[in-house]
């Protein structure tokens, strides 16, 4: 998805990979989610040939009391805009399908935050549900399991 986006639109100044957040209390109790998110981001970055300075991992969708996984996506969007990033590409690799969290929270609200604080454009890269190859792979898995 990222390569296709870049072929059509060129590369942004930075790539943000935003994952769904989780309360830190879960991590303290041994939940491996955070390390899995960072490992996924590293694999995506490696596949894209990115250096650590070219991407950022963040966490979105926090609610309720308590601390959540950091860095927070919304705060990071502000910081990136303030730091001079003009065009930002955002991917949500933990989501197999676009939903309200990706389409509204990131593509709409995230763009508003980024632009309000000095960024020029936040470009949301669609989840895999937008890719024919992903649908074909899912269909193959289903057909194999019911055979």
């Amino acid at each position: 998805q990222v390569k296709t986006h870049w072929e059509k639109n060129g590369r942004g100044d930075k790539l943000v990979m935003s994952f769904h957040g989780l309360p830190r209390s879960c991590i303290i109790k041994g939940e491996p989610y955070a390390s899995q998110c960072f490992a996924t981001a590293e694999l995506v970055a490696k596949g894209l040939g990115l250096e650590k300075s070219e991407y950022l991992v963040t966490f979105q969708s926090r609610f309720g009391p308590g601390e959540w996984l950091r860095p927070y996506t919304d705060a990071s969007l502000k910081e990136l805009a303030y730091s001079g990033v003009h065009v930002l590409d955002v991917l949500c690799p933990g989501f197999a399908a676009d939903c309200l969290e990706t389409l509204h929270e990131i593509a709409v609200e995230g763009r508003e935050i980024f632009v309000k604080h000095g960024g020029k454009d936040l470009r949301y890269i669609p989840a895999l549900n937008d890719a024919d190859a992903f649908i074909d792979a899912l269909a193959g898995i289903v057909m194999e399991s019911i055979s």
Side-chain angles (χ1 to χ4, degrees):
Q1 291 293 82
V2 177
K3 288 178 181 178
T4 300
H5 172 82
W6 285 349
E7 287 170 7
K8 290 180 183 175
N9 305 294
R11 274 179 66 170
D13 300 323
K14 195 167 204 89
L15 176 66
V16 167
M17 291 186 246
S18 182
F19 292 85
H20 191 286
L22 193 70
R24 287 213 22 92
S25 60
C26 295
I27 304 305
I28 292 167
K29 293 176 184 175
E31 170 60 50
Y33 177 75
S35 61
Q36 293 168 340
C37 291
F38 285 107
T40 296
E42 286 179 20
L43 290 170
V44 170
K46 183 178 179 183
L48 295 170
L50 296 177
E51 300 293 325
K52 284 205 181 278
S53 63
E54 296 177 295
Y55 71 95
L56 177 66
V57 175
T58 65
F59 297 92
Q60 66 194 59
S61 306
R62 66 188 186 278
F63 58 90
E67 173 136 0
W68 284 58
L69 290 174
R70 291 181 181 259
Y72 299 144
T73 299
D74 55 355
S76 296
L77 297 177
K78 290 178 192 176
E79 291 171 18
L80 289 166
Y82 287 143
S83 73
V85 172
H86 297 292
V87 179
L88 186 63
D89 292 328
V90 181
L91 174 70
C92 297
F95 292 82
D98 288 313
C99 60
L100 284 176
E101 274 187 64
T102 59
L103 296 174
H104 188 73
E105 185 176 354
I106 300 300
V108 175
E109 292 175 9
R111 179 177 288 114
E112 289 172 359
I113 291 167
F114 183 68
V115 171
K116 178 181 177 182
H117 292 90
K120 303 284 185 239
D121 193 16
L122 182 149
R123 305 181 309 187
Y124 174 70
I125 300 172
L128 294 172
N129 61 277
D130 195 43
D132 290 340
F134 179 67
I135 300 303
D136 292 343
L138 284 179
I141 292 167
V142 169
M143 294 308 292
E144 191 175 294
S145 69
I146 63 173
S147 298

